[in-house]
Amino acid sequence: MTDAPAARSSAHDADPIPPAAADAVAELMASGDLFRYTAAADAPVTLLEREFAAALGSRHAVAVSSCSAALFLALRALDPAPGARVLIPAFTFAAVPSAVLHAGCVPVLAECGADYRLDMDDVAAKLPGCSALLVSHMRGHTSDMDALVDLADRHGVPLIEDAAHSLGTTWRGRKIGTLGAMGCFSFQSYKMLNGGEGGILITDDADLAARVIVMSGAYEHNWSKHDIPTEAMARWQNRLPLYNTRMSNLSAAVIRPQIPLLPARVAAGRRNHDALAARLAPCPHLSVPAPLEGEARAPDSIQFNLVGISGAQADAFAHEARRRGAGVSIFGRSEDNARAFWNWGFLDDVPDLPQTRAMLMRACDLRLPVRTTAAEIDALATAIIGAVEAVAPAPRFGT
Ligand SMILES: Cc1ncc(COP(=O)(O)O)c(C=O)c1O
């Protein structure tokens, strides 16, 4: 008899780094050449930018120290007036409203629905008077991009995509991150490409790219080590502050060998997510929102809602699921959760957003590193269903 594998899922699980990265890092250590602008050409960061732009089919990519830095620079590249309003989803990570504040702007929070996506009526109501629309594809869930692009166009408001968790996701066959004026991605460890920390901004607009390149810290003629037209750089050199959010060659050396693995990681992430979602779906107290029509996700986690469960039962469920090995947290019920907007005490004004609050109080979050095996998915499903049945037994029918 073989033992069933224990459920294993932790927010701290990351996927292994391919051995080619160790060789690239060893080579860098031997040369000591860690600064992106020392080499005359083809430094690891430059190559990462070239390869990432090619993989996404965008004209320009600028690698930086984090996705938050990319979001900050994206907003600054639009040259917003001090105090300009920027629409963001109320369901996002605290770093997103923080980037808006850092850029000298004011975040305006739009409601999100039980499917974790932007409420388009609330976006339409709040967009007038905003200078930018920054959509976080939170946990990789894509809002209705046809409606968002249309709304942004109609109001003449630039759209920035926070695709921190969405590398590999497509919308009607188009790559997420390429639908707006700029797209920002994260290389923090729990993302599809793991650099420990890091981020990258993509755009087809040479002037936006040039502005981001200067502000990221390409002082003097270091811009010549980017793939960027000289005319665009001539317009911006010495005209903008240097915020110095550059990426180090070490990070690029770790990230680059992972790019060819992306299609396999996306396929594994989708397979794991869909297998677990299928196991949870029949449970009357659990609901896994379906993707939108047109969305092909690249999940590195799963979210599902508790249905017909009291607050006390929800807390007991999370505790019981963790005891059984499934590292589930409930966004709105775990202490200090950085994705619960009422914890963003750094904002001057935290609005009341009842729809998003209700969702966060029942929405469960579980990381699914792409290396998770079918047996582990099975064990996670057993743990989650067992935990929910322990706290809220399914109704019994018949005599
Ligand atoms: C939706 C979202 N946006 C932005 C970020 C910020 O990414 P980074 O840690 O690279 O700054 C995160 C981080 O996880 C995130 O979840």
Side-chain angles (χ1 to χ4, degrees):
M1 190 178 113
T2 53
D3 288 337
R8 184 184 62 93
S9 164
S10 153
H12 305 292
D13 283 342
D15 293 289
I17 307 295
D23 300 340
V25 169
E27 207 178 300
L28 269 181
M29 302 294 262
S31 70
D33 188 9
L34 306 186
F35 183 51
R36 69 163 296 171
Y37 292 133
T38 308
D42 295 342
V45 181
T46 304
L47 296 176
L48 169 66
E49 291 171 337
R50 201 167 290 157
E51 289 157 1
F52 196 87
L56 272 285
S58 66
R59 287 209 186 104
H60 308 286
V62 188
V64 288
S65 53
S66 67
C67 182
S68 303
L71 293 169
F72 161 72
L73 293 173
L75 287 164
R76 290 303 318 155
L78 297 173
D79 195 19
R85 293 157 68 81
V86 176
L87 194 80
I88 65 169
F91 177 40
T92 187
F93 185 55
V96 176
S98 306
V100 175
L101 288 183
H102 190 196
C105 302
V106 175
V108 175
L109 276 45
E111 287 269 32
C112 297
D115 66 353
Y116 319 127
R117 292 158 172 97
L118 273 167
D119 176 323
M120 288 304 157
D121 291 338
D122 206 39
V123 174
K126 290 175 175 166
L127 197 54
C130 288
S131 301
L133 170 54
L134 197 178
V135 57
S136 280
H137 303 299
M138 185 54 177
R139 286 292 193 264
H141 299 285
T142 311
S143 292
D144 181 341
M145 292 308 290
D146 296 344
L148 268 189
V149 168
D150 183 54
L151 270 171
D153 283 352
R154 272 195 284 131
H155 288 86
V157 166
L159 174 64
I160 299 171
E161 286 182 85
D162 167 14
H165 274 286
S166 288
L167 183 57
T169 297
T170 58
W171 176 260
R172 302 202 192 288
R174 293 173 65 195
K175 294 186 171 70
I176 281 296
T178 65
L179 278 75
M182 290 170 274
C184 302
F185 298 84
S186 176
F187 298 127
Q188 182 269 344
S189 280
Y190 309 144
K191 310 299 190 293
M192 277 289 169
L193 303 182
N194 172 8
E197 299 283 2
I200 199 161
L201 178 150
I202 57 171
T203 182
D204 282 343
D205 184 312
D207 278 282
L208 289 175
R211 292 172 65 84
V212 169
I213 287 169
V214 173
M215 290 189 288
S216 74
Y219 60 94
E220 297 162 358
H221 267 59
N222 283 319
W223 58 263
S224 63
K225 293 166 185 170
H226 290 260
D227 297 333
I228 185 81
T230 308
E231 318 81 74
M233 289 312 306
R235 282 192 284 277
W236 298 112
Q237 176 152 42
N238 297 336
R239 304 265 315 274
L240 297 164
L242 306 175
Y243 294 110
N244 282 10
T245 59
R246 292 178 297 258
M247 177 183 277
S248 135
N249 277 339
L250 266 183
S251 304
V254 170
I255 296 162
R256 287 183 60 221
Q258 299 176 54
I259 294 178
L261 307 181
L262 186 59
R265 288 185 177 180
V266 169
R270 194 173 296 157
R271 187 190 60 227
N272 288 338
H273 176 278
D274 292 353
L276 185 52
R279 283 286 307 280
L280 303 186
C283 184
H285 290 297
L286 303 177
S287 136
V288 189
L292 294 190
E293 194 251 313
E295 175 189 12
R297 288 189 60 203
D300 54 20
S301 64
I302 188 169
Q303 288 69 43
F304 55 91
N305 295 328
L306 299 175
V307 181
I309 295 264
S310 70
Q313 284 173 319
D315 293 338
F317 161 74
H319 177 80
E320 185 60 20
R322 282 199 294 274
R323 197 184 67 78
R324 292 169 187 240
V328 174
S329 63
I330 301 174
F331 290 106
R333 302 194 73 86
S334 64
E335 204 181 352
D336 297 335
N337 196 304
R339 297 142 204 96
F341 63 87
W342 54 87
N343 287 328
W344 302 342
F346 52 86
L347 296 182
D348 283 343
D349 176 31
V350 181
D352 186 27
L353 296 157
Q355 193 180 318
T356 309
R357 179 182 287 270
M359 176 271 284
L360 290 168
M361 295 310 279
R362 292 293 179 276
C364 301
D365 189 30
L366 176 70
R367 243 182 75 68
L368 291 179
V370 295
R371 65 152 185 245
T372 309
T373 63
E376 287 166 344
I377 291 290
D378 191 52
L380 286 169
T382 302
I384 293 168
I385 294 167
V388 81
E389 286 176 348
V391 304
R396 299 176 74 88
F397 297 104
T399 51

